[in-house]
């Protein structure tokens, strides 16, 4: 059976929470729930590192503005993780060249990451922190559910992941105006602070 649906789904999930993907795959493989997971993801050191980083993300992802900083840092990390996981899955299965799998997993992870990061910027325009927590928990549960489902029903999971990705792009397009306003307000605040420092630097001796 082709591993492409699982590669696509893992790429989508990696763009949202790459550490959760690695941790879930590793745990499922180590406990014998599936034979689809490569041994390299089941190693104890990989599971420990993924677990620690997942806990860090679980905290940072629920704090307004900190989540956007975290997303910025992971703009490269999540697509790379998606590509690596995809290549490992393809290497274990043998039905898809590893390079092609890496391209699918990495590009899908990048798209879902951009949707996540853009949505979070829009959520951060809200003055209360509870929306961040709700969105973060929904993302974590969604990743856990779709990865678990993908191991047993890869094609159906890939269709769900593709639908969620398209919906996310549509929602992000509607939120673009809100994000631009937020960025303009932040730029204005920075400009308002600059003259104070500039005047202080030009103070007479």
């Amino acid at each position: 059976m082709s591993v492409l649906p699982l590669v696509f789904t893992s790429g989508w999930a990696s763009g949202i929470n790459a550490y959760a993907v690695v941790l879930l795959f590793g745990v499922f493989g180590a406990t014998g729930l599936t034979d689809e997971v490569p041994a390299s993801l089941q190693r104890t050191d990989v599971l420990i590192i993924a677990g620690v980083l997942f806990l860090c993300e679980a905290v940072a992802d629920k704090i307004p503005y900190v989540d956007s900083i975290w997303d910025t840092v992971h703009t490269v990390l999540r697509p790379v993780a998606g590509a690596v996981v995809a290549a490992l899955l393809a290497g274990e299965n043998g039905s898809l060249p590893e390079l092609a799998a890496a391209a699918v997993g990495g590009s899908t992870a990048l798209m879902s990451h951009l949707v996540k990061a853009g949505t979070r910027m829009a959520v951060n325009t809200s003055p209360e922190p509870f929306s961040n927590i709700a969105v973060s928990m929904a993302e974590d549960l969604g990743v856990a559910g779709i990865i678990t489902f993908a191991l047993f029903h890869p094609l159906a999971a890939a269709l769900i992941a593709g639908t969620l990705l398209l919906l996310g792009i549509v929602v992000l397009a509607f939120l673009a105006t809100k994000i631009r306003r937020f960025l303009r307000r932040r730029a204005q605040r920075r400009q308002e602070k600059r003259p104070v420092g500039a005047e202080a630097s030009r103070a007479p001796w």
Side-chain angles (χ1 to χ4, degrees):
M1 183 173 63
S2 174
V3 75
L4 181 59
L6 184 58
V7 163
F8 178 84
T9 304
S10 68
W12 172 84
S14 295
I16 298 173
N17 193 328
Y19 305 126
V21 173
V22 174
L23 183 61
L24 286 168
F25 273 140
V27 170
F28 289 151
T31 55
L33 291 176
T34 178
D35 297 328
E36 297 290 335
V37 179
S40 55
L41 294 179
Q42 303 178 37
R43 289 168 39 185
T44 302
D45 57 338
V46 172
L47 291 176
I48 292 174
I49 294 172
V52 171
L53 291 173
F54 170 74
L55 291 176
C56 293
E57 174 145 339
V59 175
D61 207 41
K62 294 174 177 60
I63 303 174
Y65 301 106
V66 173
D67 59 351
S68 290
I69 296 173
W70 185 268
D71 285 337
T72 300
V73 173
H74 285 75
T75 299
V76 175
L77 296 178
R78 285 174 183 154
V80 169
V84 171
V85 170
L88 291 173
L89 291 172
E92 183 77 6
N93 182 276
S95 63
L96 181 69
E98 294 180 28
L99 185 60
V104 172
S107 58
T108 306
L110 177 60
M111 286 189 291
S112 64
H113 164 77
L114 293 175
V115 170
K116 169 189 168 72
T119 303
R120 284 310 187 85
M121 290 179 67
V123 171
N124 280 333
T125 62
S126 174
E128 44 76 29
F130 303 107
S131 54
N132 295 76
I133 297 174
V135 171
S136 178
M137 292 182 65
E139 290 171 349
D140 292 342
L141 292 174
V143 167
I146 200 71
I147 289 296
T148 303
F149 188 59
L151 289 172
F152 304 100
H153 304 283
L155 182 57
L159 292 175
I160 294 173
T163 301
L164 291 174
L165 180 59
L166 289 176
L167 287 175
I169 293 173
V170 172
V171 170
L172 186 59
F174 280 108
L175 294 175
T177 301
K178 193 173 184 180
I179 295 172
R180 285 195 295 268
R181 290 175 182 172
F182 167 72
L183 292 176
R184 281 199 298 266
R185 286 198 301 268
R186 189 170 65 176
Q188 288 174 355
R189 286 196 296 267
R190 289 178 179 176
Q191 290 177 355
E192 290 173 357
K193 293 178 180 179
R194 285 177 183 174
V196 176
E199 290 175 3
S201 64
R202 292 195 298 269
W205 293 93

